[in-house]
Amino acid sequence: MGGGQNFPSREASKEKEIVLCTLPWPEERAKKGIEELKKEFKNVDVHYFHSKYENGKVAAIDVPEDVMKRASYLATLFWLPPSPSCIPNVKVIQFFSAGTNHVAKHPIYTDSKIPLCSANGVHGPQIAEWVIMMDLVQSHNYVNLWELQKKKEWKQGAGMQVSDRVGKRVGILGYGSIGRQVARVAKAMGMDVIAYTASPRNTPESKKDRGYIVPGTGDPDGIFPSAWYSGTRKEDVHEFLKQEIDLLVVAVPLTEVTTHFLSTDEFELLHKSKSRRAGTYVANIARGQCIDQEALITALEKGQISGAALDVTDCEPLPADDPLWNAPNVLITPHVSGSSDVYADRAFQVLIENIKREKSGGTLVNEVNRKRGY
């Protein structure tokens, strides 16, 4: 209306919130997620740092102290500042990994109350494909056929002993987001699915998936398993393993309870339950320590199981002289089953959802229970 000094509006003068990203991709690879984040929240600035994990070690990155102190949200895979005091204003830490066991001894985990959230749910499609791929490689004798191709040999007999998947049973040890997508694909192939969880799932409500779900995937209502087993006692796990399982998928989080979840007794039990048929094929996409590696090698050598597909080992990288490399009927990949060209995009969706919920006072997606370890 004329005259007087022009003052900035209260909104315009408000300092933007910082979303600090320390992620293992060049910023260009995360461009789509960053754009969606800025589109959803007009009052945020994204400070992006490319972190690297090389040969089992986190490479140092230089995050300015003032950025850490001003940050409201932290998105990371494995990098954390030295202590909670470095990030006094962070409201949520969003990990871009399925688990947080790799930081379980960090002061931010043990000594702070900053909510920690995982990216559980973003890995389901690609890891389920890896599991099914490995199972088919085994059941269709593809390794032998590939070796023949390299030698330019045409031997039909090498490919005749095929075991198709219809009517076979997949036992999913840890029926989370990954296990639920394995179940969806397995059911489409005509397989029977049985599930194991630590706590009981006795009601339709308790069987629902409350985490992040890639649209059109998984088992949101928990309807695929023909039977559901639960309990943390050894007897409870053994009851599940007795069910003549053709494909056993290890998908539990790594905790004190699940360390060496499968060992000598468990492999012997699997063998006994499948003694009249081809043995159980074991696929581990959890953590290497969930399986007693020495016991696994023995089980492979004795033929107690038909084989193993391992995307994780104890330790990583697996040393060149480790006997696991030469164990019979084993396929090993270097912890890559979760890789996907849309991984970052999906993980940013979880981050965006959790910022929304933090701002509205809602329940966070995939918040880690520090006592349980997941």
Side-chain angles (χ1 to χ4, degrees), residues 19 22 54 60 97 140 242 252:
V19 179
T22 57
E54 299 172 342
S97 55
H140 285 251
K242 289 178 183 177
V252 291

Side-chain angles (χ1 to χ4, degrees), residues 23-26 29-34 36 48 96 122 126 338 340-351:
L23 297 170
W25 306 281
R29 285 271 307 276
K31 183 178 179 180
K32 181 179 178 181
I34 294 172
E36 290 186 4
Y48 194 98
F96 275 38
V122 307
Q126 62 269 34
S340 170
D341 55 358
V342 292
Y343 186 112
D345 298 341
R346 290 174 181 159
F348 266 99
Q349 290 301 313
V350 184
L351 171 63

Side-chain angles (χ1 to χ4, degrees), residues 10-316:
R10 185 175 181 181
E11 183 64 29
S13 63
K14 186 178 180 182
E15 188 176 56
K16 288 188 174 183
E17 290 188 298
I18 289 178
V19 179
L20 170 59
C21 297
T22 57
L23 297 170
W25 306 281
E27 188 170 353
E28 182 64 25
R29 285 271 307 276
K31 183 178 179 180
K32 181 179 178 181
I34 294 172
E35 288 177 350
E36 290 186 4
L37 180 66
K38 290 181 175 179
K39 182 179 179 181
E40 187 69 39
F41 307 105
K42 305 300 183 185
N43 196 46
V44 302
D45 268 339
V46 175
H47 290 246
Y48 194 98
F49 297 86
H50 182 193
S51 61
K52 296 180 181 180
Y53 190 78
E54 299 172 342
N55 297 322
K57 295 182 179 180
V58 179
I61 56 174
D62 185 19
V63 180
E65 184 178 342
D66 69 307
V67 172
M68 288 192 285
K69 287 192 177 298
R70 291 173 51 212
S72 297
Y73 304 96
L74 170 60
T76 187
L77 185 62
F78 38 74
W79 178 89
L80 285 175
S83 69
S85 62
C86 297
I87 47 172
N89 295 305
V90 165
K91 304 168 186 176
V92 174
I93 298 178
Q94 176 67 62
F95 285 91
F96 275 38
S97 55
T100 54
N101 60 286
H102 58 297
V103 296
K105 295 182 179 180
H106 193 284
I108 287 176
Y109 191 104
T110 58
D111 301 336
S112 84
K113 294 184 179 180
I114 303 171
L116 312 176
C117 298
S118 75
N120 191 26
V122 307
H123 314 79
Q126 62 269 34
I127 295 184
E129 290 175 12
W130 183 94
V131 169
I132 297 300
M133 174 182 71
M134 291 300 197
D135 187 44
L136 293 177
V137 164
Q138 167 76 3
S139 62
H140 285 251
N141 300 313
Y142 183 72
V143 172
N144 291 335
L145 295 172
W146 171 238
E147 291 299 326
L148 288 170
Q149 179 184 336
K150 288 191 291 184
K151 293 186 289 186
K152 301 177 182 177
E153 294 184 21
W154 183 279
K155 291 185 178 180
Q156 282 187 320
M160 292 297 188
Q161 299 301 314
V162 170
S163 173
D164 69 52
R165 301 294 84 193
V166 176
K168 302 301 190 297
R169 173 169 291 160
V170 54
I172 302 175
L173 193 64
Y175 200 64
S177 60
I178 295 168
R180 288 170 185 256
Q181 178 63 6
V182 172
R184 174 180 283 268
V185 180
K187 289 291 286 185
M189 295 169 63
M191 299 182 76
D192 177 46
V193 174
I194 61 173
Y196 166 89
T197 50
S199 54
R201 299 287 190 269
N202 299 325
T203 65
E205 192 65 23
S206 68
K207 292 179 180 180
K208 291 184 178 181
D209 185 354
R210 300 295 180 186
Y212 172 78
I213 303 172
V214 176
T217 72
D219 183 12
D221 295 318
I223 61 173
F224 291 142
S226 61
W228 208 299
Y229 297 81
S230 62
T232 55
R233 300 176 307 158
K234 203 165 189 176
E235 295 89 335
D236 300 321
V237 179
H238 284 190
E239 186 60 30
F240 171 75
L241 297 177
K242 289 178 183 177
Q243 305 307 311
E244 298 186 31
I245 296 170
D246 296 285
L247 168 62
L248 176 63
V249 182
V250 182
V252 291
L254 179 62
T255 65
E256 289 185 9
V257 173
T258 62
T259 299
H260 287 188
F261 222 32
L262 298 183
S263 190
T264 301
D265 292 346
E266 289 69 40
F267 290 124
E268 289 178 351
L269 185 60
L270 286 171
H271 176 61
K272 184 177 180 181
S273 73
K274 294 281 292 175
S275 60
R276 296 183 181 180
R277 299 167 62 185
T280 301
Y281 192 63
V282 178
N284 187 10
I285 48 79
R287 291 293 182 267
Q289 296 90 332
C290 292
I291 295 180
D292 180 342
Q293 203 151 283
E294 289 187 12
L296 172 63
I297 294 171
T298 299
L300 290 165
E301 291 173 343
K302 288 184 175 181
Q304 291 179 321
I305 56 176
S306 63
L310 310 171
D311 188 50
V312 289
T313 59
D314 184 12
C315 57
E316 295 180 15

